[in-house]
Amino acid sequence: MQGPPLIVANAEIRDEFIVAGMERLQAGAQALEVAEYVASLVEDDPAEHTVGYGGLPNVLGQVELDASIMDGATLRAGAVAALHGFRHPIRVARQVMERLPHVLLVGEGANRFAAEIGAERRVMISPGAAVAWAQRLQAICADGEPLDTIELATRALRASQGSDTMNVIVRDSAGNLSSAVTTSGIAWKYPGRLGDSPIIGAGNYCDNRYGAATCMGLGEAAIRVSAAAQVVTLLRLGWTAEAAAREVTGQIAHLIGTSHTPNHMARADWVRILVVDAQGNFSAAATRPGLSFKVHVAGESRPRLCEAASVGASLS
Ligand code: GLY
């Protein structure tokens, strides 16, 4: 059965951004356009400290941005990682998909490409993020001892500011799916660290025939189980959106539960997965309670806030 157009997103996204996306969707825009559009609105929000302009920097004070977008109709995808100095990483990711025979560009290559296509430049650190970084550095260097970057990041990450990220999955009136993810990654990360967000199959996967999945939280855990691709494979095998989200989240809960090291990132040890299947059924699961997501169905005036299922460890 063909469900109505809808947008599923993480709860931290402002309602007004989702509503703006729904207006375009109801005016006939395709899922791919709307996913990119909603992500670009979040990238401009200075109050969002894990995405775009407001994002917190790496341990050296540079905001490195990751983004990916996937088209469920064609399985085309584009991504950038460790991009800096450009306002809309999601737009650059989309152009990687449109203009190159590649999926992922990183670092200097991503910056070169963004410059060549005329992507809009911006100083991508907000005053608030710069102050937060300076305070964090002061706290970990209080004893005045010279530290290499490994030790700086190790100390800084003990109180990581998390990795909320931005996830949006859009289903349009033709039943096409698209998924977009954009993030500044874990605050105070080692320079060059990529999470799951720019890695197709880890933080983002989308196939009209089965469904789409996106991840937030500790990217290292999502990468290690190929989380988003695994969810969509389970949908292909006939699992419901809820069962698929729970299964893969359970695997991640097990990883997180057995992976604590002295470098353990105390505030980022969770993952939340959003899922929409080919019929428009949606679900979400998280490795800890209290995490929500938003669903905006065409015809409803505002997004609904829904609770993600809280899932413990699974070894299946
Ligand atoms: N999930 C976002 C990140 O780990 O960078």
Side-chain angles (χ1 to χ4, degrees), residues 56-200:
L56 292 169
N58 67 23
V59 73
L60 299 182
Q62 186 176 49
V63 177
E64 292 182 318
L65 298 159
D66 304 337
S68 66
I69 189 160
M70 188 157 183
D71 175 25
T74 59
L75 303 192
R76 291 187 310 150
V80 288
L83 182 78
H84 52 87
F86 290 91
R87 180 177 170 189
H88 288 302
I90 196 68
R91 291 189 186 159
V92 183
R94 169 80 187 273
Q95 291 307 311
V96 170
M97 178 179 117
E98 301 290 354
R99 296 168 77 151
L100 287 176
H102 304 315
V103 168
L104 171 61
L105 295 180
V106 304
E108 287 315 311
N111 289 322
R112 172 189 292 270
F113 175 76
E116 280 192 356
I117 64 169
E120 187 178 346
R121 292 181 188 271
R122 186 174 191 186
V123 175
M124 289 301 281
I125 185 161
S126 66
V131 167
W133 172 72
Q135 287 173 343
R136 185 75 197 121
L137 221 62
Q138 200 171 23
I140 60 174
C141 299
D143 54 12
E145 187 191 341
L147 301 174
D148 65 15
T149 314
I150 297 173
E151 184 58 21
L152 268 181
T154 302
R155 290 190 188 187
L157 286 165
R158 288 197 185 117
S160 169
Q161 232 87 15
S163 52
D164 283 348
T165 309
M166 191 251 30
N167 286 181
V168 62
I169 301 174
V170 180
R171 186 172 186 275
D172 66 25
S173 55
N176 291 311
L177 290 165
S178 181
S179 48
V181 180
T182 181
T183 188
S184 51
I186 291 178
W188 331 136
K189 62 193 173 185
Y190 193 95
R193 175 264 185 193
L194 311 184
D196 57 326
S197 305
I199 299 178
I200 296 299

